[in-house]
Amino acid sequence: MSNDEDFQNRLDRIQQSRRGRSSGMGFVVHPDGVVTAIGRPSSRLRFGFPLKGFLLALFIAVGVKAYLIWALGADVYLLQVEPLFAGSNLEQVAGQVLRPDALTLWVADRYQDVYTFLQAGLAAHRGE
């Protein structure tokens, strides 16, 4: 099979898969080798903002912040964050982001619940 036949077969497969969709585009290969699109482009709404990435980053940030609060203790964590409020504008913004909030404190409490559960399970396993 030549490269031209491989290319044509690939285009045919793409066209067949797009025909199954309600409003897909197709391709035509002219005798001179020029490929042109036919049909209507998809009218699907596309967001310019990466919402999934933002939500994932927010989820990770809350999880890490809650872990630090749980591991260090709320008082020690707050003592480490407070100096940021007296710094530059960027440090003040970081202080606002790192300040404990209700969601983060709730997640930190869940970390404590899981830790207590695991400790109880280990104690029962050891026969204490």
Side-chain angles (χ1 to χ4, degrees):
M1 218 184 244
S2 71
N3 287 340
D4 291 336
E5 290 174 349
D6 287 340
F7 182 68
Q8 188 60 46
N9 288 339
R10 289 169 99 191
L11 285 177
D12 289 342
R13 281 189 310 225
I14 291 170
Q15 245 179 327
Q16 286 175 355
S17 69
R18 289 186 182 232
R19 276 189 208 126
R21 300 180 195 154
S22 61
S23 63
M25 289 184 61
F27 299 97
V28 173
V29 179
H30 298 281
D32 60 355
V34 176
V35 179
T36 58
I38 59 171
R40 297 183 316 164
S42 175
S43 63
R44 187 177 132 209
L45 180 63
R46 297 182 190 269
F47 293 104
F49 185 75
L51 185 61
K52 289 180 185 177
F54 176 74
L55 291 176
L56 180 64
L58 182 65
F59 178 77
I60 291 170
V62 168
V64 169
K65 190 165 77 166
Y67 176 76
L68 289 172
I69 291 172
W70 173 75
L72 297 174
D75 296 335
V76 173
Y77 179 82
L78 197 54
L79 285 174
Q80 296 296 322
V81 171
E82 278 181 7
L84 294 174
F85 291 107
S88 67
N89 289 339
L90 183 61
E91 288 175 334
Q92 290 176 6
V93 170
Q96 291 291 337
V97 170
L98 293 173
R99 183 176 51 182
D101 55 73
L103 176 63
T104 306
L105 294 174
W106 181 82
V107 173
D109 288 342
R110 299 299 70 83
Y111 282 157
Q112 183 59 41
D113 294 343
V114 169
Y115 180 75
T116 304
F117 176 76
L118 291 175
Q119 289 298 320
L122 287 174
H125 180 67
R126 290 185 195 140
E128 293 179 2

